[in-house]
mmCIF file of all heavy atoms in Angstrom:
data_model
loop_
_atom_site.group_PDB
_atom_site.id
_atom_site.type_symbol
_atom_site.label_atom_id
_atom_site.label_comp_id
_atom_site.label_asym_id
_atom_site.label_seq_id
_atom_site.Cartn_x
_atom_site.Cartn_y
_atom_site.Cartn_z
ATOM 1 N N SER A 9 89.070 110.170 102.837
ATOM 2 C CA SER A 9 89.306 110.224 101.375
ATOM 3 C C SER A 9 89.750 111.548 100.825
ATOM 4 O O SER A 9 90.506 111.530 99.940
ATOM 5 C CB SER A 9 88.004 109.585 100.702
ATOM 6 O OG SER A 9 88.312 109.474 99.315
ATOM 7 N N SER A 10 89.066 112.565 101.262
ATOM 8 C CA SER A 10 89.458 113.935 100.840
ATOM 9 C C SER A 10 90.802 114.319 101.188
ATOM 10 O O SER A 10 91.425 115.202 100.475
ATOM 11 C CB SER A 10 88.414 114.935 101.452
ATOM 12 O OG SER A 10 87.062 114.614 100.931
ATOM 13 N N ALA A 11 91.322 113.823 102.190
ATOM 14 C CA ALA A 11 92.744 114.000 102.655
ATOM 15 C C ALA A 11 93.781 113.293 101.762
ATOM 16 O O ALA A 11 94.941 113.609 101.923
ATOM 17 C CB ALA A 11 92.892 113.775 104.092
ATOM 18 N N GLY A 12 93.347 112.324 101.078
ATOM 19 C CA GLY A 12 94.312 111.732 100.135
ATOM 20 C C GLY A 12 94.287 110.173 100.105
ATOM 21 O O GLY A 12 94.830 109.621 99.176
ATOM 22 N N PHE A 13 93.683 109.500 101.157
ATOM 23 C CA PHE A 13 93.657 108.054 101.183
ATOM 24 C C PHE A 13 92.338 107.794 100.470
ATOM 25 O O PHE A 13 91.283 107.638 101.099
ATOM 26 C CB PHE A 13 93.731 107.483 102.582
ATOM 27 C CG PHE A 13 94.072 106.056 102.696
ATOM 28 C CD1 PHE A 13 94.670 105.367 101.654
ATOM 29 C CD2 PHE A 13 93.851 105.337 103.861
ATOM 30 C CE1 PHE A 13 95.042 104.086 101.747
ATOM 31 C CE2 PHE A 13 94.207 104.052 103.943
ATOM 32 C CZ PHE A 13 94.714 103.457 102.853
ATOM 33 N N LYS A 14 92.301 107.649 99.260
ATOM 34 C CA LYS A 14 91.038 107.638 98.387
ATOM 35 C C LYS A 14 90.352 106.247 98.424
ATOM 36 O O LYS A 14 90.964 105.224 98.373
ATOM 37 C CB LYS A 14 91.439 107.867 96.846
ATOM 38 C CG LYS A 14 92.147 109.260 96.703
ATOM 39 C CD LYS A 14 91.123 110.403 96.859
ATOM 40 C CE LYS A 14 91.844 111.691 96.462
ATOM 41 N NZ LYS A 14 90.892 112.846 96.686
ATOM 42 N N VAL A 15 89.075 106.381 98.416
ATOM 43 C CA VAL A 15 88.216 105.254 98.291
ATOM 44 C C VAL A 15 88.235 104.980 96.859
ATOM 45 O O VAL A 15 87.833 105.617 95.847
ATOM 46 C CB VAL A 15 86.747 105.490 98.819
ATOM 47 C CG1 VAL A 15 85.957 104.300 98.436
ATOM 48 C CG2 VAL A 15 86.779 105.955 100.152
ATOM 49 N N VAL A 16 88.605 103.651 96.553
ATOM 50 C CA VAL A 16 88.636 103.146 95.128
ATOM 51 C C VAL A 16 87.925 101.889 94.929
ATOM 52 O O VAL A 16 87.953 101.303 93.731
ATOM 53 C CB VAL A 16 90.106 103.064 94.636
ATOM 54 C CG1 VAL A 16 90.950 104.329 94.723
ATOM 55 C CG2 VAL A 16 90.849 101.937 95.439
ATOM 56 N N GLY A 17 87.315 101.436 95.915
ATOM 57 C CA GLY A 17 86.488 100.135 95.770
ATOM 58 C C GLY A 17 85.322 100.163 96.783
ATOM 59 O O GLY A 17 85.499 100.469 98.000
ATOM 60 N N ARG A 18 84.172 99.880 96.285
ATOM 61 C CA ARG A 18 82.930 99.933 97.127
ATOM 62 C C ARG A 18 82.068 98.741 96.868
ATOM 63 O O ARG A 18 82.163 98.189 95.725
ATOM 64 C CB ARG A 18 82.121 101.150 96.950
ATOM 65 C CG ARG A 18 82.689 102.537 97.299
ATOM 66 C CD ARG A 18 81.865 103.709 97.027
ATOM 67 N NE ARG A 18 82.427 104.918 97.397
ATOM 68 C CZ ARG A 18 82.421 105.472 98.563
ATOM 69 N NH1 ARG A 18 81.757 104.925 99.626
ATOM 70 N NH2 ARG A 18 82.931 106.730 98.708
ATOM 71 N N ASP A 19 81.273 98.214 97.833
ATOM 72 C CA ASP A 19 80.493 97.112 97.593
ATOM 73 C C ASP A 19 79.190 97.607 97.051
ATOM 74 O O ASP A 19 78.923 98.714 96.614
ATOM 75 C CB ASP A 19 80.364 96.183 98.754
ATOM 76 C CG ASP A 19 79.583 96.995 99.916
ATOM 77 O OD1 ASP A 19 78.883 98.044 99.681
ATOM 78 O OD2 ASP A 19 79.550 96.494 101.077
ATOM 79 N N ALA A 20 78.241 96.599 96.913
ATOM 80 C CA ALA A 20 76.908 96.945 96.182
ATOM 81 C C ALA A 20 76.145 97.866 96.986
ATOM 82 O O ALA A 20 75.282 98.689 96.394
ATOM 83 C CB ALA A 20 76.174 95.644 96.030
ATOM 84 N N ASP A 21 76.401 98.108 98.252
ATOM 85 C CA ASP A 21 75.823 99.013 99.190
ATOM 86 C C ASP A 21 76.503 100.368 99.211
ATOM 87 O O ASP A 21 75.982 101.315 99.870
ATOM 88 C CB ASP A 21 75.506 98.540 100.519
ATOM 89 C CG ASP A 21 74.622 97.279 100.508
ATOM 90 O OD1 ASP A 21 73.675 97.307 99.855
ATOM 91 O OD2 ASP A 21 74.934 96.331 101.361
ATOM 92 N N GLY A 22 77.571 100.507 98.434
ATOM 93 C CA GLY A 22 78.289 101.754 98.467
ATOM 94 C C GLY A 22 79.343 101.890 99.521
ATOM 95 O O GLY A 22 79.963 102.938 99.772
ATOM 96 N N ALA A 23 79.479 100.787 100.291
ATOM 97 C CA ALA A 23 80.392 100.862 101.559
ATOM 98 C C ALA A 23 81.834 100.765 101.052
ATOM 99 O O ALA A 23 82.105 99.992 100.196
ATOM 100 C CB ALA A 23 79.988 99.640 102.541
ATOM 101 N N CYS A 24 82.628 101.551 101.737
ATOM 102 C CA CYS A 24 84.102 101.585 101.472
ATOM 103 C C CYS A 24 84.748 100.195 101.686
ATOM 104 O O CYS A 24 84.758 99.629 102.812
ATOM 105 C CB CYS A 24 84.760 102.579 102.342
ATOM 106 S SG CYS A 24 86.488 102.690 102.249
ATOM 107 N N ARG A 25 85.465 99.586 100.684
ATOM 108 C CA ARG A 25 86.053 98.386 100.791
ATOM 109 C C ARG A 25 87.493 98.443 100.393
ATOM 110 O O ARG A 25 88.302 97.492 100.768
ATOM 111 C CB ARG A 25 85.338 97.355 100.093
ATOM 112 C CG ARG A 25 83.973 97.121 100.563
ATOM 113 C CD ARG A 25 83.852 96.499 101.876
ATOM 114 N NE ARG A 25 82.565 96.228 102.472
ATOM 115 C CZ ARG A 25 82.054 96.860 103.527
ATOM 116 N NH1 ARG A 25 82.690 97.853 104.162
ATOM 117 N NH2 ARG A 25 80.856 96.572 103.964
ATOM 118 N N VAL A 26 88.038 99.335 99.627
ATOM 119 C CA VAL A 26 89.430 99.480 99.179
ATOM 120 C C VAL A 26 89.674 100.950 99.140
ATOM 121 O O VAL A 26 88.972 101.804 98.696
ATOM 122 C CB VAL A 26 89.637 98.903 97.677
ATOM 123 C CG1 VAL A 26 91.099 98.904 97.278
ATOM 124 C CG2 VAL A 26 88.959 97.529 97.466
ATOM 125 N N MET A 27 90.940 101.237 99.712
ATOM 126 C CA MET A 27 91.485 102.573 99.618
ATOM 127 C C MET A 27 92.978 102.498 99.219
ATOM 128 O O MET A 27 93.661 101.569 99.334
ATOM 129 C CB MET A 27 91.353 103.182 101.013
ATOM 130 C CG MET A 27 89.919 103.290 101.532
ATOM 131 S SD MET A 27 89.814 103.981 103.135
ATOM 132 C CE MET A 27 89.945 105.763 102.847
ATOM 133 N N GLU A 28 93.410 103.725 98.635
ATOM 134 C CA GLU A 28 94.813 103.782 98.069
ATOM 135 C C GLU A 28 95.278 105.173 98.079
ATOM 136 O O GLU A 28 94.509 106.055 98.013
ATOM 137 C CB GLU A 28 94.986 103.152 96.826
ATOM 138 C CG GLU A 28 94.350 103.764 95.642
ATOM 139 C CD GLU A 28 94.513 103.141 94.229
ATOM 140 O OE1 GLU A 28 94.521 101.831 94.195
ATOM 141 O OE2 GLU A 28 94.804 103.847 93.314
ATOM 142 N N LEU A 29 96.575 105.405 98.126
ATOM 143 C CA LEU A 29 97.261 106.605 97.936
ATOM 144 C C LEU A 29 97.716 106.707 96.504
ATOM 145 O O LEU A 29 98.547 105.847 96.048
ATOM 146 C CB LEU A 29 98.462 106.716 98.816
ATOM 147 C CG LEU A 29 98.127 107.129 100.306
ATOM 148 C CD1 LEU A 29 99.523 107.312 100.980
ATOM 149 C CD2 LEU A 29 97.448 108.329 100.479
ATOM 150 N N SER A 30 97.219 107.596 95.628
ATOM 151 C CA SER A 30 97.446 107.605 94.218
ATOM 152 C C SER A 30 98.892 107.908 93.920
ATOM 153 O O SER A 30 99.492 107.523 92.960
ATOM 154 C CB SER A 30 96.489 108.517 93.435
ATOM 155 O OG SER A 30 96.693 109.730 94.045
ATOM 156 N N HIS A 31 99.554 108.802 94.757
ATOM 157 C CA HIS A 31 100.853 109.321 94.453
ATOM 158 C C HIS A 31 101.974 108.408 95.024
ATOM 159 O O HIS A 31 103.180 108.562 94.771
ATOM 160 C CB HIS A 31 101.048 110.780 95.112
ATOM 161 C CG HIS A 31 101.005 110.700 96.610
ATOM 162 N ND1 HIS A 31 99.815 110.825 97.245
ATOM 163 C CD2 HIS A 31 101.815 110.658 97.595
ATOM 164 C CE1 HIS A 31 99.866 110.844 98.500
ATOM 165 N NE2 HIS A 31 101.183 110.676 98.776
ATOM 166 N N HIS A 32 101.669 107.355 95.792
ATOM 167 C CA HIS A 32 102.486 106.531 96.487
ATOM 168 C C HIS A 32 102.901 105.371 95.555
ATOM 169 O O HIS A 32 102.184 104.974 94.541
ATOM 170 C CB HIS A 32 101.948 105.965 97.704
ATOM 171 C CG HIS A 32 102.849 105.256 98.585
ATOM 172 N ND1 HIS A 32 103.310 104.002 98.483
ATOM 173 C CD2 HIS A 32 103.401 105.645 99.722
ATOM 174 C CE1 HIS A 32 104.150 103.736 99.532
ATOM 175 N NE2 HIS A 32 104.155 104.737 100.297
ATOM 176 N N ARG A 33 104.133 104.790 95.675
ATOM 177 C CA ARG A 33 104.607 103.660 94.807
ATOM 178 C C ARG A 33 103.391 102.515 94.790
ATOM 179 O O ARG A 33 103.044 102.132 93.882
ATOM 180 C CB ARG A 33 105.883 103.131 95.225
ATOM 181 C CG ARG A 33 106.298 101.805 94.620
ATOM 182 C CD ARG A 33 107.768 101.480 94.993
ATOM 183 N NE ARG A 33 108.721 102.379 94.358
ATOM 184 C CZ ARG A 33 109.425 103.143 95.129
ATOM 185 N NH1 ARG A 33 109.313 103.261 96.508
ATOM 186 N NH2 ARG A 33 110.259 104.039 94.560
ATOM 187 N N PHE A 34 103.081 102.148 96.035
ATOM 188 C CA PHE A 34 102.058 101.239 96.216
ATOM 189 C C PHE A 34 101.607 101.257 97.673
ATOM 190 O O PHE A 34 102.386 100.940 98.507
ATOM 191 C CB PHE A 34 102.428 99.713 95.897
ATOM 192 C CG PHE A 34 101.326 98.775 95.686
ATOM 193 C CD1 PHE A 34 100.945 98.499 94.404
ATOM 194 C CD2 PHE A 34 100.830 98.124 96.799
ATOM 195 C CE1 PHE A 34 99.793 97.472 94.230
ATOM 196 C CE2 PHE A 34 99.733 97.245 96.679
ATOM 197 C CZ PHE A 34 99.290 96.974 95.523
ATOM 198 N N PHE A 35 100.467 101.832 97.963
ATOM 199 C CA PHE A 35 99.934 101.932 99.310
ATOM 200 C C PHE A 35 98.465 101.664 99.183
ATOM 201 O O PHE A 35 97.609 102.525 99.088
ATOM 202 C CB PHE A 35 100.165 103.261 99.922
ATOM 203 C CG PHE A 35 100.086 103.398 101.316
ATOM 204 C CD1 PHE A 35 101.127 103.124 102.261
ATOM 205 C CD2 PHE A 35 98.838 103.913 101.966
ATOM 206 C CE1 PHE A 35 100.914 103.377 103.563
ATOM 207 C CE2 PHE A 35 98.598 104.112 103.259
ATOM 208 C CZ PHE A 35 99.701 103.754 104.056
ATOM 209 N N VAL A 36 98.034 100.326 99.314
ATOM 210 C CA VAL A 36 96.709 99.845 98.953
ATOM 211 C C VAL A 36 96.264 99.032 100.237
ATOM 212 O O VAL A 36 96.963 98.204 100.798
ATOM 213 C CB VAL A 36 96.653 98.980 97.806
ATOM 214 C CG1 VAL A 36 95.210 98.380 97.538
ATOM 215 C CG2 VAL A 36 97.135 99.715 96.592
ATOM 216 N N GLY A 37 95.024 99.390 100.637
ATOM 217 C CA GLY A 37 94.269 98.663 101.825
ATOM 218 C C GLY A 37 93.099 98.138 101.330
ATOM 219 O O GLY A 37 92.381 98.701 100.546
ATOM 220 N N THR A 38 92.780 96.760 101.623
ATOM 221 C CA THR A 38 91.534 96.112 101.294
ATOM 222 C C THR A 38 90.881 95.590 102.588
ATOM 223 O O THR A 38 91.508 94.960 103.417
ATOM 224 C CB THR A 38 91.742 95.039 100.359
ATOM 225 O OG1 THR A 38 92.392 93.928 100.961
ATOM 226 C CG2 THR A 38 92.519 95.577 99.108
ATOM 227 N N LEU A 39 89.577 95.699 102.711
ATOM 228 C CA LEU A 39 88.872 95.117 103.843
ATOM 229 C C LEU A 39 88.761 93.653 103.627
ATOM 230 O O LEU A 39 88.750 92.870 104.544
ATOM 231 C CB LEU A 39 87.456 95.747 104.007
ATOM 232 C CG LEU A 39 86.741 95.424 105.278
ATOM 233 C CD1 LEU A 39 87.602 95.983 106.540
ATOM 234 C CD2 LEU A 39 85.402 95.973 105.393
ATOM 235 N N PHE A 40 88.716 93.222 102.409
ATOM 236 C CA PHE A 40 88.653 91.739 102.131
ATOM 237 C C PHE A 40 90.086 91.236 102.121
ATOM 238 O O PHE A 40 91.065 91.883 102.321
ATOM 239 C CB PHE A 40 88.057 91.580 100.604
ATOM 240 C CG PHE A 40 88.690 92.239 99.574
ATOM 241 C CD1 PHE A 40 89.815 91.759 99.036
ATOM 242 C CD2 PHE A 40 88.131 93.477 99.153
ATOM 243 C CE1 PHE A 40 90.394 92.494 97.842
ATOM 244 C CE2 PHE A 40 88.675 94.102 98.052
ATOM 245 C CZ PHE A 40 89.823 93.744 97.493
ATOM 246 N N VAL A 41 90.146 89.842 102.000
ATOM 247 C CA VAL A 41 91.465 89.141 102.108
ATOM 248 C C VAL A 41 91.740 88.538 100.782
ATOM 249 O O VAL A 41 91.437 87.432 100.414
ATOM 250 C CB VAL A 41 91.340 88.115 103.174
ATOM 251 C CG1 VAL A 41 92.686 87.388 103.325
ATOM 252 C CG2 VAL A 41 90.859 88.704 104.472
ATOM 253 N N PRO A 42 92.434 89.290 99.932
ATOM 254 C CA PRO A 42 92.713 88.749 98.476
ATOM 255 C C PRO A 42 93.541 87.432 98.553
ATOM 256 O O PRO A 42 93.445 86.630 97.624
ATOM 257 C CB PRO A 42 93.597 89.883 97.927
ATOM 258 C CG PRO A 42 94.105 90.809 98.990
ATOM 259 C CD PRO A 42 93.071 90.621 100.046
ATOM 260 N N GLN A 43 94.434 87.296 99.567
ATOM 261 C CA GLN A 43 95.118 86.072 99.530
ATOM 262 C C GLN A 43 94.402 84.728 99.589
ATOM 263 O O GLN A 43 94.811 83.762 99.241
ATOM 264 C CB GLN A 43 96.261 86.170 100.689
ATOM 265 C CG GLN A 43 95.631 86.346 102.067
ATOM 266 C CD GLN A 43 95.596 87.732 102.516
ATOM 267 O OE1 GLN A 43 95.210 88.678 101.782
ATOM 268 N NE2 GLN A 43 96.154 88.113 103.704
ATOM 269 N N ALA A 44 93.094 84.918 100.033
ATOM 270 C CA ALA A 44 92.295 83.652 100.073
ATOM 271 C C ALA A 44 91.887 83.158 98.819
ATOM 272 O O ALA A 44 91.475 82.051 98.713
ATOM 273 C CB ALA A 44 90.997 84.125 101.041
ATOM 274 N N ARG A 45 91.931 84.045 97.785
ATOM 275 C CA ARG A 45 91.493 83.480 96.375
ATOM 276 C C ARG A 45 92.756 83.246 95.546
ATOM 277 O O ARG A 45 92.566 83.016 94.287
ATOM 278 C CB ARG A 45 90.606 84.496 95.775
ATOM 279 C CG ARG A 45 89.275 84.690 96.527
ATOM 280 C CD ARG A 45 88.497 85.761 95.932
ATOM 281 N NE ARG A 45 88.109 85.511 94.583
ATOM 282 C CZ ARG A 45 86.922 84.763 94.128
ATOM 283 N NH1 ARG A 45 86.254 84.051 95.141
ATOM 284 N NH2 ARG A 45 86.714 84.595 92.936
ATOM 285 N N SER A 46 93.906 83.314 96.050
ATOM 286 C CA SER A 46 95.204 83.064 95.317
ATOM 287 C C SER A 46 95.366 81.555 95.036
ATOM 288 O O SER A 46 95.075 80.747 96.012
ATOM 289 C CB SER A 46 96.329 83.705 95.952
ATOM 290 O OG SER A 46 97.526 83.330 95.224
ATOM 291 N N ARG A 47 95.763 81.188 93.918
ATOM 292 C CA ARG A 47 96.084 79.823 93.671
ATOM 293 C C ARG A 47 97.397 79.558 92.992
ATOM 294 O O ARG A 47 97.783 80.616 92.245
ATOM 295 C CB ARG A 47 94.811 79.135 92.771
ATOM 296 C CG ARG A 47 93.609 79.236 93.464
ATOM 297 C CD ARG A 47 93.453 78.185 94.646
ATOM 298 N NE ARG A 47 92.152 78.304 95.214
ATOM 299 C CZ ARG A 47 91.830 79.025 96.301
ATOM 300 N NH1 ARG A 47 92.604 79.959 96.746
ATOM 301 N NH2 ARG A 47 90.594 78.944 96.724
#
């Protein structure tokens, strides 16, 4: 995270669940599967 791939999402226990590069057009990673909730 300190190197730039920032933690921007944590669960109730504080565990890392979402990371992103703030300076990038869109560079986002999620441990969850967002597509599962799309309708």
Side-chain angles (χ1 to χ4, degrees):
S9 186
S10 297
F13 199 18
K14 301 290 187 182
V15 178
V16 298
R18 296 181 182 272
D19 67 13
D21 296 323
C24 169
R25 296 297 181 244
V26 188
M27 300 177 80
E28 67 178 45
L29 286 180
S30 59
H31 63 274
H32 197 281
R33 172 173 290 113
F34 193 99
F35 194 87
V36 176
T38 70
L39 192 62
F40 55 81
V41 182
Q43 55 267 50
R45 292 176 64 85
S46 180
R47 299 292 182 269

